[in-house]
Amino acid sequence: MSAVWAVLKKSFVVHPFIVAAFPALALYYYNAQDLRLSVLVLPVLVPIGLALLMFLITWSICGNPYKSGIIVSLFLALLYSSGHVFNVASWYGITSPYLGGVILFLIWAVIFPGSAYLILRTRKTLRYPTIILNSIFIFMLLSYSVRTGIYEVKRLSAGPDSPVIPATVQLDPAEGESLPDIYYIIMDRYGRADSLANFYDYDNGYFVDYLTDQGFYVASESTANYVRTLLSITSSLNMDYLRDIDPESEDMYPLNLRLQNNTVQHSLQQAGYEYIHFGSWWEQTRQNELADVNINYGAKVDEFSELILATTMPYSVCAEMGIIEDNYMRQWKRTLFEFEQLAAVPENDNPTFVFAHLLVTHPPYVFEADGSFLPSEESHQRTDRDNYVSQMTAANRLLEELIGQILAKSEVDPIIILQADEGPYPPRLLDENRQFNWDTATSAELRHKMGILNAYYLPGGDSSALYPTITPINTFRVVFNLYF
């Protein structure tokens, strides 16, 4: 504390550098359970470096460090808040990007220049406002650091992260037979047919009939093993419940490690399979360092950094004006790109294991029912039910085309697993999000969330090993028993 008081007493200018780092620190604060401190390096150091450069330039012009510090802090605060202007505008029914652009123009053409002019023209040194700003931002920095510190202390007390060594299943394919490609396609939040009928008034029978006609076994009473994507996919790829995970712990990072290096991929790679990973925008499945090939759409920017960039003025304005792709357009193009690349997998000469996490039946809602692009301003005007049904219809069209191409192009009949990790969100969960307590969930909410699509194409296999209530953790137990 003595160091803090020394800073305040001598009125060093520190607030611009805290403002520069604050968006990254705040985002980490709310997601510390999923991340490691290393993710902060660039999102903190780069803005601080730019703030220092701006501060030195402004100081050299006005000759007063206190004035230059306040001008830089004001600039950075406006810079990072610009992206939120469009969100706030949409809350008040202003969905046109041009109206949001007008608001930003007024901020940057009137408020910032006017404020900077007044700061430069005042005869006061602004030492005491600097002390106040230092006090406010140092207090905010310390308060936001508490939760981060708690997580890091717990992690250090548990010992350093050790490499995850997954269990390995010895796979013995029949001698002389060609290995079938294996497609594990996760359709995030794709609900079971009866759930869709009950909660969305949507008849998905035509798609279930299509799958059945193609030779799929559709598990009509299948449920997810867990309510969260990370838990669900990690358990299915390790073919077991997460028995050694502390249910009271909020730290999800150990699960990230087990998802990245799991029993299924490790066993198949040991058996001679090439592992192709189709990434999503979600950081945990964006890429896998152990994959032989990673396929994703767009720039190689991690989700954490992208979320920070999206709040800045240049990025948000360019995205809203269509100069660069916004998250909606990027997700629409990413989905089409993934399906196109999935259809090309049969051309690979090596036996291939494909993991594809497709967030098609998951927000953001970017598809019209016919597969065309749904702009964000139109999506926001629709109900969650209408958006979900529209995207579900488009997803079915894409899946039918993909399955047809895979089956037509494959020289050896492939294994195709089409499975959801969880069902769609019930309305109360959408409203409460992280505050939702599953202990208070109604039976209807549980059916809504836990009922999932689960379909298997097992050529030449014995479908008697499958049953209506099969859950994802048994998926690869069945596959490995039948074929290896």
Side-chain angles (χ1 to χ4, degrees):
M1 292 297 295
S2 60
V4 174
W5 285 116
V7 169
L8 297 179
K9 183 178 179 181
K10 295 181 180 180
S11 62
F12 292 136
V13 180
V14 297
H15 57 85
F17 311 110
I18 299 177
V19 174
F22 197 75
L25 297 174
L27 185 61
Y28 188 92
Y29 170 85
Y30 287 107
N31 297 276
Q33 68 273 17
D34 295 315
L35 303 168
R36 275 295 187 264
L37 279 173
S38 57
V39 77
L40 285 172
V41 175
L42 288 178
V44 167
L45 292 184
V46 171
I48 287 179
L50 293 175
L52 177 60
L53 179 62
M54 292 173 58
F55 175 73
L56 293 175
I57 293 173
T58 310
W59 188 3
S60 68
I61 294 174
C62 69
N64 183 312
Y66 307 129
K67 291 182 178 181
S68 71
I70 294 174
I71 290 173
V72 171
S73 285
L74 176 62
F75 177 85
L76 291 173
L78 293 176
L79 178 73
Y80 280 121
S81 62
S82 296
H84 300 296
V85 168
F86 295 102
N87 292 332
V88 174
S90 67
W91 296 342
Y92 289 95
I94 302 174
T95 58
S96 169
Y98 297 100
L99 290 177
V102 169
I103 296 173
L104 279 184
F105 175 79
L106 293 175
I107 290 174
W108 286 98
V110 177
I111 295 179
F112 177 70
S115 300
Y117 176 78
L118 293 175
I119 292 170
L120 291 172
R121 293 288 296 171
T122 182
R123 294 178 180 274
K124 298 180 180 180
T125 63
L126 301 184
R127 177 173 178 267
Y128 288 108
T130 297
I131 293 175
I132 294 172
L133 287 173
N134 282 345
S135 302
I136 293 172
F137 283 101
I138 289 175
F139 174 78
M140 292 175 65
L141 176 64
L142 292 175
S143 62
Y144 268 70
S145 298
V146 170
R147 185 169 185 246
T148 301
I150 291 173
Y151 275 110
E152 296 309 314
V153 168
K154 287 182 178 179
R155 286 165 175 169
L156 288 173
S157 63
D161 292 334
S162 56
V164 174
I165 303 176
T168 303
V169 178
Q170 184 64 41
L171 303 180
D172 298 311
E175 187 175 350
E177 291 188 7
S178 298
L179 293 172
D181 291 339
I182 301 176
Y183 296 81
Y184 189 35
I185 302 175
I186 302 292
M187 300 294 293
D188 205 300
R189 297 191 194 176
Y190 195 122
R192 205 171 62 197
D194 58 335
S195 296
L196 297 176
N198 292 333
F199 300 109
Y200 291 90
D201 192 26
Y202 180 77
D203 183 2
N204 204 33
Y206 75 96
F207 183 66
V208 173
D209 290 342
Y210 167 81
L211 292 175
T212 303
D213 291 343
Q214 294 298 315
F216 280 79
Y217 177 90
V218 180
S220 59
E221 301 174 40
S222 184
T223 56
N225 297 110
Y226 294 95
V227 297
R228 291 183 59 180
T229 296
L230 182 58
L231 297 166
S232 181
I233 299 180
T234 302
S235 62
S236 63
L237 286 172
N238 286 287
M239 305 191 299
D240 206 351
Y241 292 104
L242 305 171
R243 305 176 192 277
D244 58 339
I245 297 297
D246 180 6
E248 301 300 324
S249 174
E250 295 183 7
D251 189 359
M252 295 290 104
Y253 194 77
L255 283 173
N256 294 340
L257 299 178
R258 294 173 69 168
L259 175 60
Q260 289 288 309
N261 192 8
N262 58 74
T263 296
V264 170
Q265 73 184 51
H266 188 71
S267 300
L268 288 169
Q269 284 178 310
Q270 291 288 324
Y273 273 79
E274 181 177 353
Y275 171 32
I276 300 181
H277 183 94
F278 284 78
S280 65
W281 52 258
W282 186 52
E283 189 60 35
Q284 280 76 358
T285 57
R286 182 183 291 257
Q287 65 175 3
N288 189 313
E289 294 181 357
L290 300 177
D292 298 295
V293 179
N294 275 284
I295 296 177
N296 207 331
Y297 176 83
K300 306 296 183 182
V301 179
D302 62 86
E303 182 187 8
F304 187 84
S305 299
E306 188 173 347
L307 286 171
I308 297 171
L309 282 173
T311 66
T312 63
M313 187 269 290
Y315 186 102
S316 57
V317 170
C318 290
E320 289 290 339
M321 299 300 178
I323 299 172
I324 62 174
E325 295 172 357
D326 64 6
N327 291 335
Y328 282 73
M329 176 59 75
R330 188 181 302 112
Q331 175 59 6
W332 182 71
K333 289 188 175 181
R334 173 185 283 114
T335 301
L336 297 179
F337 172 80
E338 288 171 330
F339 275 89
E340 178 184 342
Q341 295 298 311
L342 279 167
V345 170
E347 300 169 11
N348 188 15
D349 294 331
N350 301 318
T352 305
F353 168 59
V354 171
F355 172 84
H357 182 205
L358 306 179
L359 288 97
V360 188
T361 46
H362 183 293
Y365 295 115
V366 298
F367 279 91
E368 295 280 12
D370 63 0
S372 59
F373 176 62
L374 174 64
S376 60
E377 55 268 23
E378 293 184 29
S379 175
H380 292 155
Q381 293 175 356
R382 301 182 183 182
T383 65
D384 181 75
R385 183 266 174 196
D386 289 343
N387 279 325
Y388 184 83
V389 167
S390 177
Q391 199 132 303
M392 169 74 67
T393 305
N396 288 346
R397 294 164 62 97
L398 291 169
L399 286 169
E400 288 182 21
E401 183 177 352
L402 174 64
I403 291 168
Q405 291 188 65
I406 290 175
L407 295 179
K409 293 179 181 179
S410 299
E411 295 183 4
V412 178
D413 282 342
I415 297 167
I416 305 175
I417 301 155
L418 194 59
Q419 186 177 91
D421 57 325
E422 56 179 339
Y425 276 24
R428 194 159 65 95
L429 178 56
L430 283 172
D431 294 337
E432 299 180 15
N433 201 358
R434 291 193 179 195
Q435 284 69 48
F436 185 84
N437 184 354
W438 282 105
D439 291 335
T440 66
T442 64
S443 58
E445 287 171 333
L446 290 172
R447 290 196 303 273
H448 192 151
K449 187 66 168 67
M450 303 303 286
I452 60 169
L453 171 72
N454 197 0
Y456 303 81
Y457 183 81
L458 304 177
D462 183 3
S463 61
S464 64
L466 301 172
Y467 46 97
T469 58
I470 188 171
T471 62
I473 62 165
N474 282 321
T475 293
F476 284 96
R477 290 175 179 266
V478 168
V479 170
F480 287 172
N481 283 339
L482 287 177
Y483 294 94
F484 303 100

